[in-house]
Amino acid sequence: MTETESTPIYPLDRLRRVADAAARAANAHNTQPWDLRYRPDHVEVGWRAEYALGPSDPSHRDLRLSLGTYIESLLLCAAEAGMALRFEPDYDATAARVGRIVPGQWLEPSTRSVADVEARRVWRGAWTPQQVPPAVIGRSLKTAEESGFRVAVVPTDAARPLLVRAYHWFFGHAGIARELLAWARLSPRHPDYQRDGLNDVMLVLNKAEAAAMRMFFAPVVYRALRPLGLVRLLTTLSSSATSGDGVVMVILGKGNDPASEVEAGRLVTRLWLDLFRDGIYVHPQSHVIDCPDTVGDLTRVCGARDGERPLVFFRVGYPATDPSARPRHPRRERAGTTSA
Ligand SMILES: Cc1cc2nc3c(=O)[nH]c(=O)nc-3n(C[C@H](O)[C@H](O)[C@H](O)COP(=O)(O)O)c2cc1C
């Protein structure tokens, strides 16, 4: 069946507009892995294997989180466009599916808006010393609890040694370095610069730094320099990602159910949009969870109990320069849509 022969839950053009707006959702490496499959009475949400990361996301946790951020953004954009939809989880790895969007009841009115979905962006630059107010932290804890998760709040000071170790592991991993280069668009001349991936502006690189990254991550140079201190150098160059005061929030979940990682991704969008409305920015840093040498310590630092494990790690705070001066991440045209 083709899209045009089906009778979708809402007119396709309206659904597509909402799907396009939701493609502003945060997602690992900006691969935009989501795939919407339009069926007669629902829209299946899945992923495209070519947009799933490999060594940088060994358990595909970030993939499922990114699908969750997208689903939550989509539901929010749909509600604002007058469409009452809900997500029905139905995880199936073989079918590359996490569930379906079906007609639903009206969502509770929320302060989260499409304008926030459009404007939200990651912050990878320097931070001011200003502290996140306790009331904002309290609200985040409550939002997490209402979603069936717990947020641990860790001072950046306590997280820094783990972050530095994790960066060292990250930059020393040849597969991760290869994948980072594959998704980096270090010059506007890159053919996919306007499409996806991590561009020089998003990575807060000036021209010289972008050229250095292109050189250092080229496989021959990387192999030659890795034993000669390249990893330490790259870790030092990432110091803005590990320095400063403030706090880190860690979403903790129980068990290993992949579907709960999708739900945690939905929570990421809720937390992130709420923080964004307060002028607070976020920098997720997944490698602290993926690095075998830091995940145990992180679990302890978070005071995890009863089988809780860290699912998402993100630094929160106030950017030292104006993030809105930076363009939003590029999106693919008609991102991730296949006919049924
Ligand atoms: C699950 C998840 C994991 C992420 N991990 C990292 C990370 O480890 N380091 C990082 O700099 N950004 C990370 N990000 C941020 C994404 O790279 C960013 O959302 C994406 O490039 C789109 O940019 P935007 O958020 O500014 O729209 C992550 C985002 C998500 C949703």
Side-chain angles (χ1 to χ4, degrees):
M1 194 187 326
T2 65
E3 284 173 10
T4 43
E5 285 164 341
S6 65
T7 318
I9 44 179
Y10 281 103
L12 260 181
D13 59 334
R14 286 181 71 198
L15 283 172
R16 282 179 175 287
R17 269 199 298 278
V18 160
D20 282 352
R24 286 292 186 210
N27 68 99
H29 278 36
N30 193 28
T31 70
Q32 301 159 45
W34 36 81
D35 186 29
L36 295 188
R37 302 156 193 165
Y38 292 93
R39 312 288 194 217
D41 60 350
H42 66 271
V43 182
E44 187 175 302
V45 185
W47 68 89
R48 301 262 291 273
E50 66 268 38
Y51 300 133
L53 294 169
S56 323
D57 184 18
S59 64
H60 279 180
R61 185 193 69 253
D62 275 357
L63 170 68
R64 291 183 282 271
L65 290 165
S66 301
L67 293 167
T69 65
Y70 179 72
I71 289 162
E72 186 67 13
S73 305
L74 191 148
L75 294 180
L76 199 157
C77 296
E80 203 169 300
M83 290 183 263
L85 300 175
R86 71 184 166 85
F87 175 64
E88 200 175 77
D90 184 20
Y91 185 82
D92 183 339
T94 315
R97 178 183 73 215
V98 291
R100 53 188 78 84
I101 305 283
V102 295
Q105 296 187 327
W106 280 108
L107 296 175
E108 291 285 303
S110 139
T111 52
R112 300 169 197 130
S113 69
V114 177
D116 297 333
V117 171
E118 279 289 334
R120 179 216 56 82
R121 64 199 69 193
V122 72
W123 178 247
R124 296 189 179 89
W127 305 87
T128 71
Q130 190 183 347
Q131 298 296 316
V132 174
V136 169
I137 292 180
R139 186 192 59 205
S140 300
L141 303 190
K142 187 159 173 273
T143 304
E145 204 182 308
E146 287 165 357
S147 311
F149 294 91
R150 190 163 77 84
V151 161
V153 179
V154 178
T156 306
D157 271 349
R160 183 170 304 117
L162 306 185
L163 265 177
V164 172
R165 245 156 66 206
Y167 268 106
H168 203 267
W169 168 81
F170 181 87
F171 289 129
H173 191 302
I176 292 179
R178 230 184 354 262
E179 200 159 57
L180 185 58
L181 189 63
W183 284 100
R185 282 80 178 98
L186 296 171
S187 141
R189 287 197 303 274
H190 191 289
D192 293 330
Y193 195 82
Q194 304 291 349
R195 204 171 169 259
D196 55 20
L198 301 163
N199 64 40
D200 47 347
V201 181
M202 295 165 75
L203 293 172
V204 203
L205 300 173
N206 61 33
K207 264 197 174 145
E209 289 164 336
M213 180 169 170
R214 209 177 304 124
M215 182 181 75
F216 286 144
F217 282 83
V220 178
V221 179
Y222 178 85
R223 259 198 312 274
L225 296 186
R226 188 168 60 162
L228 304 175
L230 176 63
V231 173
R232 198 159 355 105
L233 172 71
L234 293 171
T235 305
T236 309
L237 292 177
S238 306
S239 64
S240 77
T242 59
S243 60
D245 311 313
V247 291
V248 165
M249 290 188 185
V250 182
I251 300 179
L252 299 164
K254 285 189 186 161
N256 285 313
D257 178 13
S260 86
E261 293 176 341
V262 178
E263 287 305 310
R266 296 184 60 187
L267 170 61
V268 168
T269 288
R270 284 181 222 131
L271 293 172
W272 201 332
L273 292 179
D274 290 350
L275 292 165
F276 180 73
R277 278 182 78 79
D278 288 327
I280 296 166
Y281 278 71
V282 167
H283 183 192
Q285 287 164 299
S286 304
H287 35 295
V288 197
I289 299 176
D290 293 320
C291 169
D293 188 34
T294 52
V295 63
D297 286 346
L298 177 67
T299 307
R300 272 189 294 282
V301 167
C302 290
R305 50 188 191 237
D306 305 330
E308 285 175 336
R309 67 183 172 112
L311 298 175
V312 189
F313 174 109
F314 52 95
R315 169 76 193 275
V316 293
Y318 297 90
T321 54
D322 179 10
S324 63
R326 304 180 161 274
R328 291 290 284 111
H329 75 241
R331 280 180 300 184
R332 275 193 291 276
E333 284 295 306
R334 287 278 105 100
T337 304
T338 51
S339 328

